[in-house]
Amino acid sequence: MLSEKVLKNLRGSSAIRAMFEEGENLKKIHGADKVFDFSLGNPDPPPPEAVLKSLRDLARENPPGLHAYMNNAGYKDVREKIAGHINNKDGTALAADNIVMTCGAGGGLNVVLKAILNPGEEVIVLSPFFVEYGFYIENYGGTMVVVPTEKGTFQPDLQAIEKSITPKTKGIIFNSPNNPTGVVYSEMILTSLAYLIEDKEKEFHSHIFVIADEPYRDIVYDEIKMPQILNIFKKSVSVYSYSKSLSLPGERIGYIAVSDKIENIDVFMEALVFANRVLGFVNAPSLFQKVIAESLGATVNVNIYQERRDLLYYHLTDLGFSCVKPQGAFYLFPESPLENTAEFKKLALKHKIIIVPGNGFGSPEYFRLAYCVSTKTIENSLPAFTALAKEAGLNK
Ligand code: PLP
């Protein structure tokens, strides 16, 4: 009765949701404060005051057309402000017409993939990767080619990428700061990747688009400077979202910023805007376009996330867990101390800790902890991690 493809996907697609449901059941039995749920990337800090104020002001003033359709790319004045904001920060030369407003990064990625992919073309993703990429690529008949990052650092492995590029490669998606590892890809490695891609394009007479999925771009720690992808790669787009930086995941607002060095950029932009329309998004939510235009530069309190990272990271590594120190986003991705991560997940559940096994991210020997939960939850969870480590045979 239903699509066979969808039914097949349904069976294997909901590891994170399944863990979340498991956590909800445990909370009913033991009480919410006794369960340590690190399953979902749903930010817990409230949106910044600038966002709430502009929301209140707009609702009160209700200017004409606030809730109307507009150009499928989004309001021109909003796109102009966003372009200016990126230019000021990163020295790019973007104009309003280099920006398409989208329904979050999920919407933006689908728009880009629809615009560029022909059936049978390949898109490289670097593992560990965000679970939805495979489904997004499949939406347009593309094939996902998974290339593991370097063991020990989770940085892109250039040799492995080089071997995986074929005449059918149409794009490469990467996500930095990364979900699930928290790693920021280094500017030096990305610059080498740009040369590699240009060489391969010449060799195969092909076009390879770099799609940077960057919802965590503004959540970085230790004064790390995020490389600007649009300055590094000629055929590149940065897909941004306010879901994480402004704690607005339910509002579905983000944008695609397109490198001004793409050839025939007018047609490229038309293709994006067309895709936004016919995928049924039509345009990004009008009210929130206006809200974010008034809140540029605001972010949630990133220091809170950094404190939580430190609390959990140092506790886990003291206990003997092996884990790369995250430089951004709000996830830890430690190695499972048991060979079978599913067994470790069960053991964690016994201690009322909800983790997500790494297989959904393409890295089965690891597990993910989303620390976008309250600091109190993290503090309360520390003894449970100590007991879990002991039972899992970590002896420190
Ligand atoms: N990409 C990554 C790496 C994510 O972690 C998420 C959400 O968790 C998304 C994209 C989708 O974000 P949005 O809410 O903007 O669609």
Side-chain angles (χ1 to χ4, degrees):
M1 192 170 76
L2 297 177
S3 149
E4 282 169 27
K5 232 192 214 173
V6 169
L7 287 175
K8 188 181 112 243
N9 287 339
L10 275 181
R11 284 192 280 276
S13 75
S14 52
I16 298 177
R17 278 274 148 194
M19 291 312 296
F20 174 70
E21 303 295 340
E22 193 115 29
E24 291 301 291
N25 286 338
L26 278 184
K27 283 176 196 168
K28 275 187 204 132
I29 300 169
H30 302 284
D33 60 328
K34 304 282 183 315
V35 178
F36 313 115
D37 184 353
F38 294 99
S39 62
L40 277 192
N42 211 0
D44 104 295
E49 183 47 37
V51 170
L52 300 175
K53 180 177 181 313
S54 102
L55 193 52
R56 281 193 300 267
D57 290 350
L58 278 161
R60 196 178 45 247
E61 288 156 20
N62 198 23
L66 179 62
H67 307 291
Y69 289 127
M70 83 292 304
N71 184 314
N72 299 120
Y75 287 116
K76 182 137 189 172
D77 62 323
V78 173
R79 291 183 287 125
E80 220 154 43
K81 282 189 181 167
I82 290 175
H85 179 72
I86 304 171
N87 293 343
N88 284 341
K89 264 177 52 173
D90 294 334
T92 44
L94 303 175
D97 288 344
N98 295 102
I99 309 284
V100 178
M101 301 306 296
T102 63
C103 293
L109 289 167
N110 273 277
V111 164
V112 173
L113 291 168
K114 179 163 179 71
I116 66 170
L117 278 184
N118 294 299
E121 288 178 336
E122 294 168 359
V123 180
I124 291 176
V125 307
L126 308 183
S127 67
F129 54 83
F130 178 54
V131 277
E132 306 292 53
Y133 292 158
F135 304 120
Y136 293 172
I137 293 166
E138 191 186 282
N139 281 344
Y140 312 103
T143 304
M144 177 166 81
V145 176
V146 177
V147 179
T149 50
E150 295 267 6
K151 206 169 160 47
T153 64
F154 294 126
Q155 290 287 335
D157 178 342
L158 294 178
Q159 278 185 348
I161 295 173
E162 183 172 12
K163 281 192 204 130
S164 305
I165 297 178
T166 76
K168 284 191 186 165
T169 304
K170 193 57 166 293
I172 171 165
I173 301 180
F174 57 75
N175 162 229
S176 165
N178 184 264
N179 172 7
T181 65
V183 164
V184 172
Y185 293 165
S186 94
E187 177 141 22
M188 208 174 73
I189 294 179
L190 293 179
T191 305
S192 306
L193 180 59
Y195 287 119
L196 168 64
I197 289 175
E198 280 184 32
D199 286 350
K200 284 288 173 184
E201 285 183 317
K202 279 189 202 126
E203 181 184 340
F204 294 134
H205 305 287
S206 63
H207 297 284
I208 302 174
F209 293 94
V210 170
I211 304 159
D213 177 24
E214 305 194 296
Y216 304 96
R217 196 178 164 81
D218 291 317
I219 304 180
V220 289
Y221 310 130
D222 310 321
E223 290 171 29
I224 284 229
K225 180 151 172 36
M226 271 293 293
Q228 176 47 264
I229 262 63
L230 302 177
N231 290 335
I232 298 176
F233 299 93
K234 277 193 194 131
K235 285 196 196 75
S236 60
V237 299
S238 159
V239 179
Y240 185 78
S241 163
Y242 295 93
S243 292
K244 315 290 173 167
S245 61
L246 296 181
S247 279
L248 294 173
E251 304 299 350
R252 315 307 306 133
I253 184 77
Y255 63 78
I256 306 165
V258 180
S259 159
D260 57 337
K261 296 174 202 78
I262 288 188
E263 280 165 44
N264 296 325
I265 185 156
D266 294 348
V267 183
F268 189 87
M269 296 310 297
E270 271 177 42
L272 293 182
V273 174
F274 173 78
N276 206 26
R277 188 182 104 210
V278 301
L279 284 172
F281 297 123
V282 183
N283 55 252
S286 61
L287 175 60
F288 269 84
Q289 288 189 48
K290 293 290 187 187
V291 168
I292 55 117
E294 298 303 316
S295 324
L296 291 176
T299 61
V300 291
N301 185 348
V302 175
N303 290 334
I304 291 186
Y305 283 135
Q306 182 164 330
E307 278 165 31
R308 292 174 187 177
R309 174 204 64 173
D310 289 347
L311 203 56
L312 206 49
Y313 170 79
Y314 288 116
H315 187 69
L316 290 185
T317 47
D318 277 353
L319 290 170
F321 283 94
S322 163
C323 183
V324 171
K325 189 175 183 184
Q327 298 163 304
F330 38 59
Y331 306 99
L332 282 178
F333 204 54
E335 233 174 293
S336 166
L338 303 186
E339 210 173 298
N340 184 336
T341 310
E343 285 302 316
F344 180 68
K345 174 193 86 177
K346 279 194 206 148
L347 200 59
L349 273 178
K350 212 177 111 186
H351 294 272
K352 306 191 190 66
I353 300 173
I354 320 287
I355 64 162
V356 180
N359 50 322
F361 306 101
S363 302
E365 63 275 38
Y366 297 84
F367 65 97
R368 189 188 80 170
L369 297 170
Y371 57 85
C372 47
V373 295
S374 73
T375 306
K376 190 136 199 60
T377 301
I378 297 177
E379 281 167 356
N380 290 344
S381 74
L382 300 181
F385 275 110
T386 306
L388 171 63
K390 201 165 166 206
E391 205 173 341
L394 290 173
N395 46 7
K396 267 204 168 178

